[in-house]
């Protein structure tokens, strides 16, 4: 986070810290987490978490929010870390969390901490969703001093690739594919990026924007992330499946079935909600559901 803060200080209205932790909330399903637990480990994690929050704080714009989360029960890693952070950073304040089902107040009394830390929240595995989680919502005091950078609307794509993108992705959509902010990265992925490349180049950025397509062997293929952001009316052809349709199970398994249509890329939906692309080729409808999501 300190490398990010050097480049992106005050750039974000909202930051999520999914902190590394002792993982007590995963004990029921992960024997390795149980064997790796110790009192010393809890203290070590608490130290790392506080350092991460310290390094992350400069990223948050005045008036912005910082959400801290763990999947552990240890108060030293939860209420204790937040209390220590607030002592160090008087420009942050603890806010109330949205009152969602299953959320319970924090427990500052376990460490003899101030009662206002009850504004933090816990999900208990026997009372709500998940295996056990802690969240604290922090706000940086004040009002924004400077406007955020304008959304980048340039383009950084070679002309031949752009022509392929317009043709191939355009065949899957109604109307022209998005181009404002389009760039091609070193892995041949095409993104719609909200920030100018000079703001993030040199940093390890997992996704610089909305992944809309991929170039492979002089072909461009629409990406799963593009499908997931579409409304059915935006796709040239939609196959809407019922939840009990056997084709749905085949699609989620990465399989195929006979089909004689003409449109190559078809948006698969269930009750109108997008699941991803299928590709019609060789008289069959072939699932393009990502391999890592398949059943």
């Amino acid at each position: 986070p300190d490398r990010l803060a050097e480049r992106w200080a005050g750039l974000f209205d909202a930051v999520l810290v999914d902190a590394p932790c002792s993982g007590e909330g995963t004990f029921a399903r992960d024997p390795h987490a149980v064997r790796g637990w110790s009192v010393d480990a809890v203290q070590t994690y608490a130290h790392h978490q506080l350092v991460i929050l310290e390094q992350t704080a400069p990223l948050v714009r005045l008036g912005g929010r910082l959400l801290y989360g763990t999947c552990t029960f240890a108060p030293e890693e939860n209420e204790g870390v937040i209390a220590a952070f607030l002592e160090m950073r008087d420009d942050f304040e603890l806010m109330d969390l949205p009152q969602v089902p299953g959320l319970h107040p924090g427990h500052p009394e376990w460490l003899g901490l101030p009662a206002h830390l009850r504004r933090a929240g816990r999900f208990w595995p026997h009372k709500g969703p998940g295996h056990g989680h802690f969240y604290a919502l922090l706000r940086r005091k004040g009002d924004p001093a400077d406007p955020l950078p304008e959304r980048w609307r340039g383009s950084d794509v070679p002309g031949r690739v752009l022509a392929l993108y317009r043709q191939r992705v355009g065949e899957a959509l109604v109307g022209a594919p998005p181009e404002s902010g389009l760039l091609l990265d070193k892995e041949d992925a095409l993104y719609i990026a909200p920030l100018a490349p000079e703001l993030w180049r040199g940093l390890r950025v997992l996704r610089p924007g909305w992944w809309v397509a991929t170039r492979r062997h002089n072909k461009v293929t629409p990406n799963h992330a593009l499908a997931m952001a579409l409304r059915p009316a935006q796709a040239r052809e939609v196959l809407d499946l019922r939840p009990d349709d056997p084709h749905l199970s085949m699609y989620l398994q990465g399989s195929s079935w006979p089909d004689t249509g003409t449109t190559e890329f078809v948006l698969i939906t269930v009750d109108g909600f997008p699941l991803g692309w299928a590709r019609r080729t060789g008289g069959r409808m072939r699932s393009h559901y990502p391999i890592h999501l398949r059943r």
Side-chain angles (χ1 to χ4, degrees), residues 35-229:
R35 289 194 290 269
W37 186 93
S38 69
V39 173
D40 286 343
V42 168
Q43 298 297 336
T44 299
Y45 277 114
H47 171 73
H48 289 323
Q49 291 153 355
L50 185 56
V51 170
I52 289 171
L53 276 178
E54 266 190 278
Q55 295 175 342
T56 302
L59 290 165
V60 184
R61 197 176 183 217
L62 293 178
R65 295 158 295 151
L66 173 60
L67 181 64
Y68 172 85
T70 74
C71 60
T72 194
F73 305 123
E76 296 87 350
E77 300 177 63
N78 295 330
E79 291 90 351
V81 168
I82 298 302
F85 175 76
L86 290 172
E87 283 188 12
M88 297 166 50
R89 297 289 306 233
D90 60 4
D91 57 333
F92 279 82
E93 58 185 340
L94 185 62
M95 307 295 290
D96 291 321
L97 287 163
Q99 293 305 299
V100 298
L103 182 66
H104 296 262
H107 283 278
E109 70 277 7
W110 289 351
L111 294 176
L113 297 171
H116 73 88
L117 287 161
R118 286 177 58 82
R119 286 182 167 179
R122 289 174 173 267
F123 286 103
W124 300 104
H126 61 297
K127 293 184 177 180
H131 295 273
H133 305 272
F134 172 89
Y135 293 102
L137 180 62
L138 301 157
R139 178 185 176 274
R140 192 170 188 180
K141 300 175 184 176
D143 297 315
D146 301 308
L148 289 172
E150 290 290 326
R151 185 191 184 286
W152 183 61
R153 301 186 183 278
S155 180
D156 190 7
V157 180
R160 187 169 182 276
V161 177
L162 181 59
L164 284 171
Y165 170 76
R166 288 170 173 168
Q167 176 192 348
R168 297 278 290 168
V169 178
E171 291 172 353
L173 303 180
V174 174
E179 289 187 23
S180 181
L182 187 67
L183 64 87
L184 179 70
D185 75 357
K186 294 179 180 179
E187 305 299 323
D188 282 337
L190 286 150
Y191 293 94
I192 300 294
L195 294 178
E198 57 267 20
L199 283 174
W200 51 266
R201 280 187 176 148
L203 297 171
R204 184 180 179 273
V205 177
L206 187 63
R207 300 280 185 268
W210 177 25
W211 191 354
V212 291
T214 302
R215 181 182 68 168
R216 286 287 185 273
H217 308 300
N218 292 320
K219 292 184 179 180
V220 170
T221 304
N223 188 263
H224 179 70
L226 173 63
M228 296 304 292

